[in-house]
Amino acid sequence: MTFWKPGTIAPGKYTCISAIRINVDREAERESNETIVTFADRQSTLSIQQQRQILPIYKSRNQLLYLVEKYQVTIVVGQTGSGKTTQLPQYLHEAGWTAGQRVVACTQPRRVAATTVAQRVAIEMNVQLGQEVGYSIRFEECYDVKKTRIKYMTDGMLFRETLIDPLLSQYSVIMIDEAHERSLHTDILFGLLKKIMKKRPELRVIISSATLDAEAFYDFFNINTTDDTSKDNVSIISIEGRMFPVDIHYLEEPCSDYIEKAIETVMDIHLKEGTGDILVFLTGREQIDSAVEEIANRAMNLPRSAMKLDALPIYAGLPAEQQLLIFESPGYNTRKVIVATNIAEASITIEGISYVIDCGFVKLRAYNPKTGMESLVVVPVSKSSAQQRAGRAGRLKPGKAYRLYTEDLFRQLPDASIPEMQRTNLAQVVLQLKALGVDNILRFDFLTAPPAQMMIRALELLYSLKALDDNGKLTVPLGVQLAEFPVDPMLGKILLDSPRFGCCTEILIIAAMISVQNVFIMPSNATAKAESERRNFAVEEGDHLTLLNVYTAFTTRGQKSARWCHDHFLNFRALSRAFSIRSQLLKFLKRFNIPLESCGNDTVKIRKCLVSGYFANAAKMMPDGSFRTIRDNATLHIHPSSVLFTRNAPYVIFHEVVETTKAFMRDLTVIDPAWLSELAPHFYEFKK
DNA sequence: GAGCACTGC
């Protein structure tokens, strides 16, 4: 595992954040690690060119170049470690695809992947990062408009570029990497690229995927309607990977309690199997914390002859300093057990894992278009997910994977998870497609179309926000500006409406804070202390103003320091990110000529402004303490993380609903119901 | 009355 070294790649202004960011994933990262190892051991070092030539993909170099030349779309199926991400763009560059100021783009679903791959390729090409090879991710642009020939970027960034240059005219080849993950932006790009290729027949597209959805990609891009397959405009090529074999073990009988089974399996491996660390996949924080505690308990009763056992949790909500513990070497005669959420499936890679335990479930977001509610549900993993999890045991040497379900059950699992496009709120996507001139959203060419009802729900919301007119066209300037904003439309609306209430300064901070997660740290062993720290920031008006307080304290008293955050049980990473988001949103507001006024301590103005965007999310308290939405009388509850959880609040607006054990409202603010009829008369007709 | 998978602009 490598870490960002401040001063080496140091992207952007926020070196302090980069320095603690963990380095991740896949062949890109694997290769960059190997470089570090070989540089350290000069005697056995292969030259960089020799290293490139022993990669599995090297054997297919000429064939790949031939296919890209001949076919508009090439689908590259390659397992982890094939080298496709780092090599393919270089081959294209060497073969002349970047001549004449043209650029080869390669998208990644995650920021860190884009930066680490670009760094590795710059080393291989012996150029300075940001010159011939660059990257583009949110808040960090590291490329030269004139010089950069190979550009790695997040898929979201390439999508942004389509809003400025709809034909993506500077690119000769666009490679969509990790397409099997089916991220929202990757899926939108599929549809857009298909359109662009009709207008730019010379454009080449490469779809790279680790699994077997290649057929679906093929059918989507193939425009040959005849039976003569020689006229197809799409080709597929498969590249071997460079993984070590992983033995898969299944249960003979299904188990009823996979947490207990996981713990037993850990203890079993520890006593019976050879060296190597253990990675356990569970679904959420609560399960992970309790499993870690239980493993630690049982580890105390190990026989004296046995190695020690060190159990550590990892999930996204954990503060960075605790996340980093999993990369530390476990100490003499000790085996590490890392208990993880899905974060360890693709986002974080831990070296030294020889054993994987897969509970067979994952927590996923689902969206109910009928109610507009999102829920977090635990569902069985897909086959490709299970495969990816198992693969985590075979990175450096052969490993073993223990699936806590039967082989028969495995066969019944779906091949792939439901794409994000089909389980998310589409308001922002619809708005952006409208901005791209896709008037009939329902007829847009999706790889897999979201349910029509989800699109209709999104259109209704946009209409009620006045982002769309009666004909479904973007309104000017509101709809057009909302489409450009990198926030969801309701949040964008309160930013653009803030001048009416003279509270732009405050709304800007609230919008940035709402956009980040896990601001408050709640360690399971110091809950009371953390709660009391949080209460110091809490105000009776609700969570939005509490978040405003936290941010103000962070930038003034706290001087944006990690130490101060730690002392007050606040997540430094989250607050630093809010700081970046605030700066970015401010640039948009300036461009839109929105005056940056402060309303001082007038919370009524701020709360009214919130209502102007969130009027649809209003609820009324019932005598039993539960809530009913004003719009359709649905039952909701206050999330325990809200500062209003223990207070009386007759009327509230909320940022979102997350359904877990109940339907919980998150991020609430107390309002006066009269504001609803005042600010959203088109939405509410009150009977008195 | 009691709880927050993971990304991304």
Side-chain angles (χ1 to χ4, degrees), chain A residues 383-513:
Chain A
K383 284 198 187 85
S384 73
S385 223
Q387 206 178 335
Q388 174 74 21
R389 288 178 175 189
R392 298 317 229 173
R395 291 176 56 79
L396 298 175
K397 59 177 192 173
K400 289 184 182 176
Y402 299 82
R403 293 183 174 154
L404 304 181
Y405 40 94
T406 61
E407 187 165 10
D408 197 46
L409 203 135
F410 174 78
R411 282 193 216 100
Q412 293 167 35
L413 293 177
D415 287 345
S417 323
I418 298 170
E420 193 181 359
M421 178 76 87
Q422 293 182 313
R423 48 184 179 83
T424 197
N425 177 351
L426 292 174
Q428 211 183 347
V429 172
V430 167
L431 200 59
Q432 288 167 331
L433 286 175
K434 290 265 180 194
L436 281 167
V438 180
D439 289 328
N440 193 339
I441 302 287
L442 294 168
R443 281 176 53 195
F444 182 71
D445 200 351
F446 290 103
L447 179 54
T448 45
Q453 209 183 359
M454 278 175 52
M455 300 221 244
I456 289 162
R457 177 93 192 184
L459 288 166
E460 281 170 1
L461 175 77
L462 293 170
Y463 179 74
S464 79
L465 288 173
K466 301 190 172 152
L468 297 179
D469 64 18
D470 290 346
N471 301 316
K473 297 254 190 243
L474 282 189
T475 55
V476 180
L478 183 65
V480 174
Q481 291 177 343
L482 282 180
E484 279 188 53
F485 246 136
V487 289
D488 82 37
M490 285 159 105
L491 206 51
K493 171 81 172 187
I494 61 170
L495 284 162
L496 295 175
D497 254 5
S498 63
R500 273 171 70 193
F501 308 92
C503 58
C504 185
T505 308
E506 289 77 17
I507 292 293
L508 182 58
I509 294 172
I510 290 171
M513 288 293 279

Side-chain angles (χ1 to χ4, degrees), chain A residues 526-601:
Chain A
T527 321
K529 196 142 184 285
E531 287 279 3
S532 92
E533 281 292 340
R534 192 175 63 176
R535 263 195 295 275
N536 289 337
F537 296 104
V539 292
E540 60 185 5
E541 287 91 343
D543 299 303
H544 294 93
L545 287 152
T546 299
L547 289 171
L548 174 61
N549 256 350
V550 171
Y551 185 90
T552 310
F554 171 64
T555 51
T556 54
R557 276 190 288 141
Q559 304 198 345
K560 293 184 270 174
S561 94
R563 179 78 223 167
W564 182 85
C565 289
H566 181 265
D567 292 346
H568 293 88
F569 287 86
L570 296 170
N571 189 336
F572 174 65
R573 206 175 17 169
L575 288 168
S576 304
R577 195 176 148 78
F579 182 83
S580 307
I581 294 175
R582 183 191 167 279
S583 321
Q584 190 189 32
L585 295 178
L586 179 61
K587 282 184 199 153
F588 279 88
L589 290 175
K590 282 185 178 154
R591 189 149 59 76
F592 298 154
N593 289 319
I594 305 282
L596 197 69
E597 279 177 274
S598 165
C599 64
N601 285 324

Side-chain angles (χ1 to χ4, degrees), chain A residues 4 9-12 111 114-116 118-119 129-130 133-137 140-143 148 150-153:
Chain A
W4 288 100
I9 26 177
R111 294 160 52 88
T115 57
T116 48
Q119 183 202 13
L129 184 59
V133 180
Y135 65 83
S136 172
I137 62 176
E140 287 172 27
E141 299 207 318
C142 179
Y143 63 91
T148 298
I150 299 176
K151 190 161 146 196
Y152 289 93
M153 60 216 295

